[in-house]
Amino acid sequence: MIARVVRSAAARLLALAIVAAPVAPAYGQSESKSKPQTPGQTQAAPGYTLQVSNQDYSRGPRAFPNLIAPYAPIKVAPPQLTNSPRFEQLIHDGKMELSLQDAIALALENNLDIAVQRYTPWIAETDILRTQGGGASRGLAGTGTASVLGAIPAQTFDPQVTSTLSLDHRATPVNNPFLSGIGQPTGALVPLVNHTTQANFQYSQGFHTGTALAVTQNNTRASTSSPAALFNPSVQSTLFVSFTQQLLNGFGLLANTRFIRIAKNSKKIADLAFAQQVITTVTQVENLYWELVFAREDVKVKQRSVTLADKLYNDNKRQVEIGTLAPIEVVRAEAEVARASQDLIVSQTLHLQQQTLLKNAITKNPLDPVVQAVEIDPTDVVAQPAKIEILPLQDAVKEALDKRPDVLQSVADLKNRDINVRATRNALLPTLSLFGQYGWTGLAGNSRKLGTATTVAGSPVVDANGNAIPNFFLPASLVPILGTNRSGLNDALGSIFGSDFPTYSLQLNLTIPIRNRPAQADNARAILEQRQAETRLQQIENGVVVEVRNAQIALEQNRARVQAAQKSRVLQDQTLDAEQKKYQLGASTIFFVIQAQRDLAQAQNVEVRALVDLAKAQIDFDRALGRTLETNRISIADAKGGQVHRETLIPGTVSGEIVGPAGKF
């Protein structure tokens, strides 16, 4: 009796040791700074800058050979909201035999959190496309582009061709024909008729140095009813080459390419945000998977408890029938069967709930009848993993800072803040622009061909009374019109290219904003945001230190819990065996047998719980150090594309995909 009490007390003390297990003093030791690698296994480094898909939204459609391609909308495929074929490929006889790697693959293909985040790098690429043309970026949340700071003269880096074609006809009634130049009055209103046709063209483009270039060619054909025109109709052509160069505000590459640089950094931030979402989802799926494994093992433990309770009940019933046991012992055994059955029902319910959570994480449509009907059977068993080498805290933190996407996002965001600071510093300067223009003008048209002038009698000479004096006339010159000299656009262009009438101009434009408060405010805000980002980065790094340290402690604690739980389970197994033998010999009572059965079931449950918690602690350790993608051999290219390619030894497959109709997407 005393020995039995001692064993029971020892079991309880051992269970308490699980909670208060000491942390092994291994934090300051490091046998190796790299993770051990299984033979034949390769670790793929995360490729954060790989393309999201075959479509690169940072590049617009080419204008050649399809000239209208830049003016058509870019095609974006509709989202795939059905479960990937891999889900049905894993179902056999109404059950899905699911390994942990299969669960991760399904999550990468079907998880909607990843599917939503997958669009963020694509949206960031459109900002690159926009800024390369000279536009301001639309910005992404958390990328330092929420507002445009600093007024810098804008440049359009995409070439622009502008053309104007116009036709103008005007008939204007005139009151004084002599002043209008249309000749003698006729007693009626005589209109002045002007007809003008214009064809103007301009090519303009901005450059990253703050230079704007324009080439303008104007052509005008005009005809008039006025006889005073030298050329009628006339053709005038001009060709001007002009440039504008910013010398203070807007000068230099940084001021004019800041939006491009910010957009490219924002694309990196979007890639890192996507990687962070993948890590979060993979960690979630791994935890759900192991919780499902625990629920399944817990059901098995409860089923064994029911089996033991049934056996005890049947044995007691037979002994009561032969009169060797009191009837109350049958009632007690029956109560134990009811309690064990109730625990089994609760465990089975939790198992179903855990399946539902995992299904939601690895499918796009949980209402699919196939998803609802299938039962997930995890194939990986919970076991104590190989011991992970604990790096010294400084080395572990350095690895986490080099790999964790949330830290790298803050570093890239800080670069954007620095670009804004330098750009707004340039925007503080006055605006000084140098404008230069050189041009040529040509004029041509139809004119009258005149003959040799002859002197003839003109108007008569009159006296004081206005009477004509006989034989006295004023001399007049008579010029005969022999025909028309014809010239046109070719002659006007010939004057241009012959540089017959050159013209040029040069000017400096200076704008000095008095007090300059808007620019000062923008620069101050940019600096404040930079200081805030620096502080936020330090905050994140401090959080990483805490997470890494806690992950190390949790890993060692859970390893100690497993060892204690295994020893406790062995003890309770031996205790139950001893109590059953004593009970058969009449040296014990049913109370101690039932108590030993309960202690064994609890010890088995604690062991499974400790093993699952150890697996989850290892998952959290990998996440804290940024190793999740490496550990699971996930490339960001696969995750972004929504398909996972994995080598397999299954016959009839290539790169992890089933060959044949079932493997078609």
Side-chain angles (χ1 to χ4, degrees), residues 460-501:
V461 179
V462 297
D463 56 17
N465 296 324
N467 298 320
I469 301 176
N471 299 324
F472 280 91
F473 299 91
L474 294 175
S477 179
L478 179 63
V479 180
I481 298 176
L482 303 180
T484 301
N485 291 318
R486 300 186 178 278
S487 61
L489 180 61
N490 292 337
D491 301 279
L493 294 177
S495 297
I496 289 177
F497 293 110
S499 191
D500 295 338
F501 307 101

Side-chain angles (χ1 to χ4, degrees), residues 283-320:
T283 301
Q284 177 190 16
V285 169
E286 287 182 302
N287 288 330
L288 290 174
Y289 185 88
W290 288 120
E291 286 295 333
L292 179 60
V293 171
F294 169 76
R296 181 192 62 182
E297 295 300 322
D298 187 60
V299 169
K300 293 180 180 179
V301 171
K302 298 301 190 295
Q303 287 174 341
R304 286 194 293 267
S305 296
V306 171
T307 302
L308 290 174
D310 283 337
K311 182 178 182 301
L312 181 62
Y313 170 74
N314 293 327
D315 291 343
N316 288 356
K317 188 176 180 182
R318 284 194 299 269
Q319 292 185 33
V320 169

Side-chain angles (χ1 to χ4, degrees), residues 37 80 97 150 158-159 184 234 259 296 343 345 364 385 430 452 518 537 569:
Q37 187 169 328
Q80 295 292 333
E97 297 180 353
D158 283 350
Q184 297 290 334
S234 63
F259 291 131
R296 181 192 62 182
D343 290 345
I345 293 173
K364 292 180 180 176
T452 304
L537 177 59
R569 190 260 309 159

Side-chain angles (χ1 to χ4, degrees), residues 35-171:
K35 292 182 61 178
Q37 187 169 328
T38 304
Q41 175 183 347
T42 58
Q43 291 184 347
Y48 294 118
T49 57
L50 296 178
Q51 289 297 326
V52 175
S53 64
N54 293 332
Q55 176 67 45
D56 183 3
Y57 295 100
S58 66
R59 300 177 181 271
R62 296 181 179 179
F64 298 99
N66 186 2
L67 298 180
I68 65 173
Y71 312 103
I74 296 177
K75 295 182 180 180
V76 178
Q80 295 292 333
L81 300 179
T82 57
N83 298 323
S84 64
R86 188 189 300 269
F87 189 88
E88 294 188 6
Q89 292 170 3
L90 295 173
I91 299 176
H92 304 286
D93 299 329
K95 287 188 177 182
M96 173 182 286
E97 297 180 353
L98 189 68
S99 67
L100 178 59
Q101 291 302 316
D102 289 332
I104 294 174
L106 287 173
L108 296 180
E109 294 175 351
N110 299 316
N111 187 271
L112 290 181
D113 291 334
I114 292 180
V116 171
Q117 191 65 39
R118 188 174 288 126
Y119 284 91
T120 303
W122 297 341
I123 296 174
E125 287 179 351
T126 63
D127 261 1
I128 297 178
L129 179 62
R130 177 178 174 81
T131 55
Q132 285 177 340
S137 60
R138 298 300 186 190
L140 293 171
T143 58
T145 58
S147 59
V148 177
L149 300 178
I152 296 176
Q155 299 291 341
T156 301
F157 303 134
D158 283 350
Q160 289 186 341
V161 177
T162 306
S163 64
T164 302
L165 301 176
S166 66
L167 178 65
D168 185 81
H169 180 82
R170 300 175 184 268

Side-chain angles (χ1 to χ4, degrees), residues 302-417:
K302 298 301 190 295
Q303 287 174 341
R304 286 194 293 267
S305 296
V306 171
T307 302
L308 290 174
D310 283 337
K311 182 178 182 301
L312 181 62
Y313 170 74
N314 293 327
D315 291 343
N316 288 356
K317 188 176 180 182
R318 284 194 299 269
Q319 292 185 33
V320 169
E321 290 175 353
I322 63 178
T324 59
L325 192 65
I328 188 62
E329 301 300 338
V330 175
V331 177
R332 187 173 297 171
E334 187 176 10
E336 180 65 16
V337 171
R339 186 199 62 81
S341 300
Q342 181 182 4
D343 290 345
L344 176 60
I345 293 173
V346 173
S347 181
Q348 290 173 336
T349 302
L350 294 176
H351 181 247
L352 292 175
Q353 291 176 346
Q354 205 61 42
Q355 284 195 66
T356 302
L357 293 175
L358 183 57
K359 286 179 183 179
N360 183 64
I362 62 176
T363 60
K364 292 180 180 176
N365 183 15
L367 296 179
D368 189 336
V370 177
V371 177
Q372 291 183 333
V374 71
E375 177 183 354
I376 297 180
D377 183 17
T379 58
D380 289 352
V381 295
V382 60
Q384 185 171 356
K387 186 175 181 179
I388 298 178
E389 298 176 0
I390 303 299
L391 299 176
L393 182 60
Q394 291 184 350
D395 294 342
V397 170
K398 183 179 183 303
E399 180 179 352
L401 296 180
D402 291 339
K403 292 181 178 180
R404 285 185 50 154
D406 53 344
V407 177
L408 299 179
Q409 286 182 69
S410 295
V411 173
D413 174 66
L414 190 58
K415 292 180 180 179
N416 280 351
R417 308 294 180 179

Side-chain angles (χ1 to χ4, degrees), residues 266-280:
S266 299
K267 171 61 169 58
K268 295 178 181 178
I269 294 175
D271 285 340
L272 292 168
F274 180 79
Q276 182 64 39
Q277 181 61 61
V278 172
I279 291 175
T280 301

